[in-house]
Amino acid sequence: MTALIGLLLLGLLLSTVAPRLLARARWAEREPVLALLAWQCLVVAVLLCCVLGLLLAASAALPELRALVFSGAPRGVEAAYGLQDAEGWGRLCAAVLAAGGLQTVLALTREVRSAKALRDHRHAQLTVRAPELPEAIAAARSRRERLVVLENIRPEAWSLPGPDSRLVVTTGALQQLTDRELAAVLSHERGHVRARHHWLQQCAQALASGFPGVGVFSAFRAQVEELVELAADDRAARRHGRHTTALALAELNLDRGVFGSCPPGLAQSPRRVDRLLAGRPRLSVPHRLRLTVVALAAPAAAVLLAVAPGLTSLL
């Protein structure tokens, strides 16, 4: 039972202390892609602790499953886990973890279906407002992301992800932005599509809605919403310059009152502009490598903790 208890304690530590430390990290704004990797590794580590803990707890509760799990293990490995005399605790832990696993699957399924329905609805609306070109003309165009222009005096730009992705801009944006600013905006939106940010956002939303009382998942959703925008900003800035990207972001949000009193969802736009104008340099390569190793150590620790008793018995 040592491995099971260790996994539960590690999962508790990673879901309470680690998110606070990671949310306060000052390097995240300078390396948003690396910060996204760190958050994903943290969440994967928590989920691994739960899944591996469920496997050990179910093995303790069900002798048949235990025999199946350790069927190919060398002599002494099964005894090293001490699961034979822990059927009562095993059943309790397995029931709790299984309920959490079922809740995760249901929440993720619900989120994927909801996102797909919303995406299909928006694609249908877009098709009505901007009909597709004839096949003979469309075949000669790029099949990666199609650009669609909508008649609207409000300057806006967004992307519709999916197998048939779209980059959408309004005529207001075409009139208000310069050619370089428009290219920066499209590069930003293209970054969202090609990095599959919508998948990450759906997973974060599913975990946060499925477990509203678990702080690590709520923090994960909040950080993902911010970091994907910073990562897309950096992509545009690398190609078209920080000042051009900052001006484009300011032009698109100026009429919304974002730079005065604004809703929480738009409050990060001034910070993004300030960040682009500040132009702080990236972390050094050795520093990035160290942070990457630390991030990957979290899920690795969960796996090592689960197999530690078996490895110890073989030494």
Side-chain angles (χ1 to χ4, degrees):
M1 290 290 287
T2 306
L4 175 57
I5 295 174
L7 284 170
L8 295 179
L9 291 177
L10 178 61
L12 180 63
L13 179 67
L14 292 176
S15 61
T16 53
V17 178
R20 297 175 185 176
L21 297 176
L22 191 52
R24 296 173 185 173
R26 296 182 178 180
W27 55 266
E29 284 193 356
R30 296 170 65 182
E31 296 291 344
V33 175
L34 183 54
L36 283 172
L37 172 65
W39 276 103
Q40 291 176 77
C41 287
L42 176 61
V43 171
V44 168
V46 173
L47 295 178
L48 272 176
C49 288
C50 295
V51 171
L52 294 174
L54 174 60
L55 179 61
L56 292 178
S59 298
L62 302 172
E64 298 82 2
L65 178 60
R66 184 166 65 246
L68 179 63
V69 170
F70 295 98
S71 59
R75 183 184 300 274
V77 172
E78 180 179 350
Y81 282 86
L83 302 176
Q84 295 83 355
D85 302 324
E87 290 190 12
W89 284 105
R91 289 172 183 170
L92 177 61
C93 292
V96 173
L97 293 173
L102 180 61
Q103 179 73 6
T104 302
V105 173
L106 291 177
L108 185 57
T109 302
R110 182 170 58 249
E111 178 62 27
V112 170
R113 288 181 176 177
S114 175
K116 186 178 184 303
L118 177 60
R119 187 168 62 247
D120 292 344
H121 177 67
R122 295 182 68 184
H123 272 286
Q125 285 186 325
L126 190 61
T127 301
V128 173
R129 297 178 63 185
E132 295 289 342
L133 294 172
E135 292 185 4
I137 300 177
R141 298 173 64 111
S142 172
R143 296 294 297 176
R144 298 197 70 175
E145 303 94 13
R146 295 183 180 178
L147 178 62
V148 178
V149 179
L150 293 183
E151 185 71 32
N152 194 330
I153 60 173
R154 191 172 186 176
E156 291 182 331
W158 67 92
S159 58
L160 285 179
D164 196 13
S165 55
R166 297 284 193 275
L167 303 180
V168 186
V169 295
T170 62
T171 52
L174 296 179
Q175 294 171 357
Q176 187 156 337
L177 301 178
T178 65
D179 291 346
R180 291 187 61 191
E181 290 170 356
L182 180 61
V185 168
L186 294 178
S187 181
H188 173 102
E189 297 301 335
R190 192 174 288 112
H192 285 311
V193 173
R194 296 188 180 179
R196 305 291 191 270
H197 286 160
H198 61 290
W199 290 356
L200 191 56
Q201 290 172 313
Q202 288 174 16
C203 291
Q205 177 61 35
L207 291 171
S209 60
F211 302 93
V214 181
V216 63
F217 297 144
S218 300
F220 180 49
R221 176 179 60 183
Q223 290 295 316
V224 164
E225 291 295 331
E226 178 177 354
L227 291 172
V228 295
E229 295 299 332
L230 299 186
D233 286 344
D234 285 350
R235 182 186 192 275
R238 285 193 299 270
R239 289 162 171 78
H240 305 283
R242 288 182 172 273
H243 289 83
T244 299
T245 305
L247 286 173
L249 181 60
E251 290 285 352
L252 287 178
N253 290 280
L254 192 60
D255 292 340
R256 304 181 186 183
V258 168
F259 294 89
S261 176
C262 61
L266 297 175
Q268 62 171 300
S269 293
R271 289 179 52 198
R272 288 166 55 194
V273 171
D274 291 341
R275 172 180 174 271
L276 288 168
L277 294 177
R280 297 182 63 189
R282 298 187 63 184
L283 300 177
S284 64
V285 174
H287 196 174
R288 280 181 281 171
L289 289 176
R290 288 195 296 270
L291 290 173
T292 302
V293 171
V294 172
L296 295 175
V303 175
L304 288 176
L305 189 58
V307 301
L311 293 177
T312 303
S313 67
L314 297 177
L315 299 178

